[in-house]
Structure formats: structure tokens, C-alpha cells
Amino acid sequence: MGIHGLTSYIGENHHFFNNIKLQNTRIVIDGNNLFHRLYFDSGLDLKYGGEYDSFTDTIYKFFEALLLCNISPYVVFDGGCDCSDKKFETIKQRAKDNILKAHTISRGGRGTVLPLLAPEVFKQVLMQLQVPFVQCHSEADRDIVTLANQWNCPVLTLDSDFCIFELKAGYCPLNYFKWKNITGLKDHSDFYISAQCFSIENFCNHFNHLNKALLPLFAVLNGNDYINLPFLENLFTRVRFHARTSSAGRKNTRIQGLLNWLAEFSEPKDAIENILKHLKQSELEKVRAVLYYHMDEYIQSEVDLAMYFQNKEIRPHVPTVLANKAPEWMLVALLKGELAPFLSDCLTLRRTFLHAQVENNRRSSSHRCSLYIRQVIYGLLISEETFPDATLGLSAKLPGKASLSTEEFGKVHYVQEYDRHEQTLRKNNIQAVGKSFNSVKIHSLQRLPEISILDRTHFFFGDPESEC
């Protein structure tokens, strides 16, 4: 995650960090990062669907350690995919990688693929412990930065993107957060957790007092999870970047050389104009716009999570695309983490990725068993639109035009699912099933809370005609 090669680079240079004793403070936690790290670092089962009892114990111990040191955690989760779809290729590649990892694990090899229900178990424990949390409507990084700066408290995660953001109280990498070894006085009072906090000042001073405003440009030029600009490779062949040490690896040489080069400029604009000198005239405006666009990803957001945590009735900003499609009750449920983020993806992008699991790859994906239920969910999500007869919705893939009349074909609605097929990732057009609650015609998503639990249960499970 984060900036290519930066985590390993700063890990080899501990003078970029300050040793701190965390106690009597708030802390903003990257929820997705934490539940991955707690599961993987605890050596729990990955082969047989998840070791959730032990995972629960680990989560309890983590937050009990914070409580003992009077550290108040606020957990922030990622939501659905950004409406701009900027990370689609990255998400698709990760899905392919996870299929191969799951296959390796199933054959007795090493790898890490998070069990399917680990995120839900994590949220359930947070609710039991009354730890405040929120699920953002898209990627949470910028919202985390805004919240931490409002409260002047550190961020706990393991994502080198947070080396680029300007955080008032710094970024504490999870691998240097010694929560299992709480330290206190001899009378067992005044407990604290030893941690290392990344110092953006130390980092910039190391590179000839580099202007912090140039760090977003460094992130764009070096590349991160979703930025891959082909013209930059041509730039690197024309511009000389000087690393300070000849013993550094190739990736570290590039990082050091790029930062040393950027230190020659006082402002991002100066560096960008220098870059543009090496490009064709026809490329200048497009490249300039692309660089500034991606640099803006490292500006803190305008979402006010502090107000939300203080008063849950105050709803943070919702992306317009989602607000136009989701009713109020659904937006609130997404914020509270009561609904999975894939639902917002289905609404805004008509697409979802089904998580890889450790299973026999010569057989059908285990997600096949819940296909009909997902089809009904898709039908409910787009229930404001016109459906063909519900019986048309029972096939897994969108039928070819030849199998339906022109009028029927125009009415078919579907969601793109990315799921495992053997050891590859396959896209399937899954047709939504339009159903009704009792005698009510295809029911509005807006009115779903009015439906009784009994009717909702019958709605999903009353007449499944799918095969596992």
C-alpha cells in the first residue's frame, strides 16, 4: 500500500522517526489496515475459513491495551470505490493476486488472504467495546488526515501515503507500535505504549530542507497504488537524479535521487515547469493537468468526521453520485458500518469484486452458493428502474440479445461481478431479480425499513431457484 518502496526506505532510516510514549491522547486508526495487521500478525488460520474466536481475543487485547494507557481510539474504515473509478485497475490486479495467493495457501504454501468475515467480526467487537467508528463513503485516507489534524492527535496505520500528508501530531506505523509490551511505573500506574512517530520535518531536513509542499509531487512522480504515468519513465531517462549513497538498492536510489532533485526547487510549480521542458509541446497541458490532479489527492478533505463523532445526527458530506441513488436510511447505515461498502459500489458503479477465498480452485467459486441472494439484492438496489418479468432474472449471466425480444433486452438490468474462475479473475454480468414484497409490486428501496422482518426474510429466502 502507499508510495512504491517508501515503507522499506524509511524503515532503513530510523532517524526519520521520533520515539514517543503514547498515553492520555486520542488516536485516529485506519480500520482496514488494523484488522489486516491484527489478523495476519497473530498467526491465525488462513486455510479453513477463519479463526474468528482467536481473532476476537486479539482485538479485545488490543483495545484493552489502549484503555489501560488512557488512549481514546477513533476507528475510520474505507467505504466503497471512488466514483471516479481511479483505482479500478489496481483493485482488479489485487483481486487477481489474491486468487493466486489463495491457491498457494490451499496447496500448503505461504501467503496472506484475509478470511471473508474478518472485517465484520472486527466491527462487531468494536460495537461490543463501544469503540467509536465510522465507515466513509470512499477511501478514508484524506478524511483520516482531516480528523487527526482537527484533534491534533496521531494516526495509527501502516501506509506510506501518510508520510506525504502533513499531520500535526504525526503518523505512527503499526509495526513500531508496541501495544503488546505496555510500560508503566513500579506502582502499576501511568501506563504508556512505546511507539515511533514518523517526522515529516526530519524527513525533509534530511533532503536539504526540502519544502513539504513538494512531497505530493514526489508521490506522483515515484508512483503509488493507482498512479502509473508512462511518460514519467521517459522523464527519468532524461533527468539526472543523484542518490547520496551508491550502496542503495535500485528502488531506494530512485527515491533518494528524486527527493534530492526536488530539493533544488522552492515550490511545486517550479519543479513541474522543469519537468514539462522535457516533454513534447503537444503533451504539456495534459501532463500539467494530470500532475496537479494527482497531487490534490494529498490535500486533506473537507469531510468533518469530528462533528459526526460528537453528534451522530450530523451526517458528513456524501458524494453526489451516491446521494442521488441511496435513500437517507441507507446512507446512515453505510456510515455506521451496518451495511457493506459493496452495496454503494453496486449503486454507483454497477460493479463489485467478490473476495477470493482459500478453496479448491478446480471447483466453482463458493460465491456461487449465494448468487440468487445477490441477484435479489441487486434487484432491490435498482428497484426504481423497470424490470422484465422476474423469471428472466434467474440466469447467472446476462442473456445475449438473441434470447430476449428487443423490448425485453432493453429492460434487463445487471451488475458486473468479478469472481474467481479456476485460477483467473472473470467478469460476469449478473442479472438483477425483480421481486415484490407480498402483493406490492417491485418495492422501493426508500421504503425498505417499513417492511417487517418476516417479510424481508421471505423476500430473500422464500423461493430461491439457484443451484450451489
Side-chain angles (χ1 to χ4, degrees):
M1 295 178 70
I3 312 303
H4 296 162
L6 188 57
T7 295
S8 60
Y9 175 65
I10 64 172
E12 295 166 4
N13 293 273
H14 286 278
H15 55 277
F16 295 152
F17 294 86
N18 293 325
N19 294 319
I20 61 172
K21 300 176 180 179
L22 271 178
Q23 60 181 175
N24 306 321
T25 182
R26 290 168 167 161
I27 191 167
V28 179
I29 299 175
D30 179 341
N32 294 71
N33 209 291
L34 180 60
F35 64 64
H36 278 86
R37 293 273 56 83
L38 289 182
Y39 198 97
F40 295 149
D41 294 348
S42 299
L44 302 177
D45 167 66
L46 297 172
K47 292 183 181 179
Y48 305 108
E51 198 172 348
Y52 297 123
D53 282 346
S54 297
F55 184 43
T56 298
D57 291 341
T58 300
I59 302 167
Y60 267 98
K61 289 175 183 176
F62 178 85
F63 286 101
E64 286 169 355
L66 300 187
L67 179 64
L68 193 60
C69 300
N70 195 31
I71 298 172
S72 302
Y74 292 82
V75 182
V76 183
F77 293 100
D78 290 329
C81 297
D82 191 279
C83 296
S84 69
D85 219 12
K86 62 188 178 186
K87 294 188 74 170
F88 172 64
E89 291 301 326
T90 299
I91 294 170
K92 187 163 71 171
Q93 186 57 52
R94 284 180 182 169
K96 293 177 180 179
D97 294 342
N98 281 336
I99 289 171
L100 296 179
K101 289 179 186 177
H103 175 68
T104 299
I105 294 170
S106 72
R107 302 291 293 269
R110 294 184 177 181
T112 53
V113 174
L114 193 72
L116 197 62
L117 297 179
E120 296 309 311
V121 171
F122 186 75
K123 291 174 186 175
Q124 287 176 11
V125 175
L126 293 187
M127 287 188 281
Q128 292 166 6
L129 293 173
Q130 296 185 330
V131 173
F133 69 91
V134 66
Q135 182 174 272
C136 297
H137 289 303
S138 58
E139 191 172 30
D141 288 9
R142 296 173 65 222
D143 299 344
I144 288 172
V145 172
T146 302
L147 180 62
N149 281 340
Q150 283 180 289
W151 285 344
N152 194 25
C153 68
V155 170
L156 183 64
T157 182
L158 188 58
D159 183 346
S160 58
D161 276 322
F162 287 90
C163 297
I164 306 302
F165 289 107
E166 188 166 356
L167 288 160
K168 294 178 182 177
Y171 148 54
C172 295
L174 269 164
N175 53 342
Y176 302 136
F177 188 73
K178 308 302 181 184
W179 65 272
K180 293 182 181 179
N181 301 308
I182 295 176
T183 307
L185 300 177
K186 291 182 179 180
D187 62 355
H188 301 291
S189 66
D190 201 27
F191 292 101
Y192 64 86
I193 295 175
S194 297
Q196 289 188 333
C197 187
F198 177 78
S199 168
I200 198 169
E201 287 77 17
N202 293 357
F203 185 70
C204 289
N205 289 344
H206 179 75
F207 294 98
N208 197 25
H209 301 280
L210 173 72
N211 182 355
K212 289 181 281 189
L214 285 155
L215 289 179
L217 180 57
F218 158 71
V220 175
L221 296 176
N222 189 66
N224 63 14
D225 280 350
Y226 61 91
I227 298 174
N228 182 20
L229 306 178
F231 74 84
L232 291 178
E233 291 304 320
N234 294 330
L235 172 69
F236 291 134
T237 63
R238 300 174 189 176
V239 179
R240 282 191 165 186
F241 299 134
H242 299 287
R244 287 188 173 184
T245 60
S246 58
S247 59
R250 184 178 180 275
K251 174 59 72 174
N252 286 355
T253 299
R254 174 161 161 168
I255 289 174
Q256 291 182 82
L258 183 53
L259 287 164
N260 286 329
W261 178 75
L262 286 171
E264 298 173 8
F265 304 96
S266 58
E267 298 291 338
K269 180 181 178 181
D270 300 331
I272 289 174
E273 293 308 312
N274 188 281
I275 290 169
L276 297 179
K277 290 193 304 185
H278 298 275
L279 303 176
K280 297 176 182 178
Q281 187 68 31
S282 59
E283 299 175 324
L284 298 187
E285 290 308 313
K286 180 180 178 181
V287 170
R288 181 185 285 111
V290 167
L291 291 175
Y292 278 112
Y293 171 80
H294 287 299
M295 287 169 62
D296 284 346
E297 294 300 317
Y298 293 96
I299 298 174
Q300 66 181 41
S301 76
E302 297 179 355
V303 174
D304 193 344
L305 293 181
M307 291 292 292
Y308 175 76
F309 279 123
Q310 291 164 14
N311 182 357
K312 295 296 177 67
E313 299 301 317
I314 300 176
R315 182 159 52 83
H317 171 75
V318 179
T320 303
V321 176
L322 181 59
N324 288 341
K325 292 178 177 289
E328 179 69 17
W329 71 263
M330 185 175 177
L331 295 173
V332 172
L334 285 167
L335 277 172
K336 291 181 178 179
E338 296 171 350
L339 293 177
F342 92 93
L343 295 173
S344 60
D345 289 345
C346 294
L347 271 177
T348 60
L349 299 171
R350 292 289 183 87
R351 183 181 67 228
T352 188
F353 284 82
L354 303 180
H355 297 287
Q357 300 179 75
V358 179
E359 56 187 343
N360 186 341
N361 283 356
R362 288 175 292 184
R363 297 187 177 183
S364 298
S365 164
S366 55
H367 289 294
R368 173 74 188 182
C369 289
S370 58
L371 172 62
Y372 179 79
I373 295 174
R374 295 196 308 279
Q375 287 181 284
V376 174
I377 290 174
Y378 301 153
L380 186 59
L381 288 172
I382 50 181
S383 59
E384 301 299 328
E385 303 178 34
T386 306
F387 281 83
D389 186 271
T391 56
L392 295 176
L394 300 180
S395 64
K397 295 185 180 180
L398 179 68
K401 201 167 184 177
S403 64
L404 296 174
S405 69
T406 302
E407 182 179 357
E408 288 174 330
F409 183 81
K411 294 180 181 178
V412 172
H413 300 285
Y414 63 93
V415 170
Q416 291 181 343
E417 283 188 348
Y418 285 80
D419 192 13
R420 179 187 65 77
H421 175 70
E422 297 180 349
Q423 294 183 45
T424 62
L425 183 68
R426 173 179 287 184
K427 179 178 74 173
N428 297 308
N429 292 324
I430 304 298
Q431 188 173 320
V433 171
K435 292 185 65 177
S436 61
F437 292 102
N438 296 331
S439 60
V440 183
K441 196 175 180 180
I442 302 170
H443 206 284
S444 168
L445 186 63
Q446 176 72 41
R447 294 177 55 196
L448 181 59
E450 302 171 20
I451 307 300
S452 69
I453 296 297
L454 181 61
D455 283 345
R456 292 187 214 177
T457 303
H458 182 76
F459 179 79
F460 281 111
F461 305 110
D463 186 29
E465 298 181 28
S466 60
E467 299 180 359
C468 289

